[in-house]
Amino acid sequence: MSDATPQIIPIGGGGFYRDPENLALERYILAQTGVAEPRVIFVPTASGEPDHYVASFYAAFLKLHCRPSVLSFFKRTPDLRSLLLKQDVIYVGGGNTKSMIALWRDWGVPELLREAWQSGIILTGVSAGAICWFEQGLTDSFSDGLRPLGCLGFIPGSCCPHYDGEPERRPSYHRFLASGEIPAGVAIEDWAGIHYKGTEIHQVIGAKSGARAYSMRSVYGSVQEVPLPVEYLTQASE
């Protein structure tokens, strides 16, 4: 990788699994590495590593100029440090964030991900793979509804994915912000991502018209939702 600046690109929803013909977000992520044929590893822990998700990843990324691979925790687990730290991109899939982080902590993965991030390896992902990088995220890991969840804390504040794609996301995030149960943060719609350099927003990217992200905070119990400028990506093929 050419840029040792720590970079994280959380995606609110969508991406290769939802529409394998629209790989604009994936192309953008790979381009940030500055590597002609970057190594990208998919980490589908949160969904239990289903075969169809892994197959969708390979089908999409084999169309791109990269070297894709998958990390499994439910088979023989490899030497995690040597595997993760030789990547250019670590892409975390969606699913149950709470279960994913619990398993990761048992394997010592958060420390390895922080080391990877600080060395310039790009961390990215969708849904669970978006909120996991923040101090807290709004998760559907529980059967009784959305809740705040403590996450890895690489980026300060909170994150809500699927902001326009799931009807309970916006009112729930507003409610938790207003009550002080979750700190100020960002809301990311499906097909949008936020590119962080260090812990500061570099730019918001959108892969479909109208996809947005918002800066969110509560002031005296009133939630302020501020749209962030968006750079819309083309879907040009290779």
Side-chain angles (χ1 to χ4, degrees):
M1 67 223 59
S2 61
D3 186 352
T5 301
Q7 299 184 77
I8 299 179
I9 307 175
I11 300 165
F16 70 86
Y17 186 65
R18 288 267 301 275
D19 184 354
E21 300 304 314
N22 182 351
L23 300 179
L25 291 168
E26 290 77 9
R27 287 190 175 91
Y28 176 87
I29 292 163
L30 294 176
Q32 307 316 303
T33 67
V35 176
E37 195 176 2
R39 295 177 181 268
V40 52
I41 194 163
F42 183 44
V43 188
T45 317
S47 57
E49 305 173 0
D51 290 343
H52 60 86
Y53 203 6
V54 171
S56 294
F57 166 76
Y58 276 119
F61 279 82
L62 286 171
K63 297 177 184 176
L64 307 174
H65 293 307
C66 67
R67 288 178 283 176
S69 61
V70 174
L71 171 57
S72 172
F73 288 93
F74 298 102
K75 298 175 183 175
R76 297 289 185 185
T77 302
D79 183 319
L80 293 170
R81 189 174 190 278
S82 64
L83 179 63
L84 291 172
L85 293 182
K86 73 180 180 183
Q87 304 301 320
D88 299 295
V89 176
I90 298 171
Y91 189 117
V92 178
N96 189 312
T97 315
K98 182 175 174 62
S99 295
M100 175 182 75
I101 291 176
L103 187 149
W104 280 1
R105 285 178 173 150
D106 199 55
W107 282 96
V109 173
E111 294 79 10
L112 297 176
L113 290 172
R114 183 177 288 276
E115 186 177 354
W117 174 54
Q118 291 174 338
S119 74
I121 296 169
I122 294 174
L123 307 180
T124 187
V126 62
S127 193
I131 69 174
C132 65
W133 315 115
F134 292 80
E135 289 180 317
Q136 289 191 38
L138 189 63
T139 183
D140 60 359
S141 297
F142 305 88
S143 63
D144 60 353
L146 295 165
R147 295 192 204 174
L149 176 71
C151 296
L152 300 182
F154 296 1
I155 301 173
S158 66
C159 177
C160 174
H162 304 298
Y163 197 56
D164 64 331
E166 297 177 2
E168 291 304 311
R169 290 283 179 171
R170 187 172 184 269
S172 296
Y173 196 30
H174 278 238
R175 183 173 71 255
F176 288 124
L177 285 165
S179 68
E181 295 175 77
I182 200 168
V186 293
I188 314 175
E189 294 183 349
D190 291 351
W191 297 101
I194 302 179
H195 185 177
Y196 286 85
K197 291 192 173 183
T199 58
E200 301 297 322
I201 294 175
H202 170 61
Q203 70 175 356
V204 176
I205 51 173
K208 286 192 176 180
S209 178
R212 308 211 64 162
Y214 304 84
S215 173
M216 307 289 298
R217 66 173 184 165
S218 176
V219 180
Y220 301 113
S222 177
V223 174
Q224 295 182 348
E225 179 183 287
V226 180
L228 298 168
V230 184
E231 178 73 22
Y232 288 103
L233 306 173
T234 66
Q235 296 182 33
S237 61
E238 292 297 304

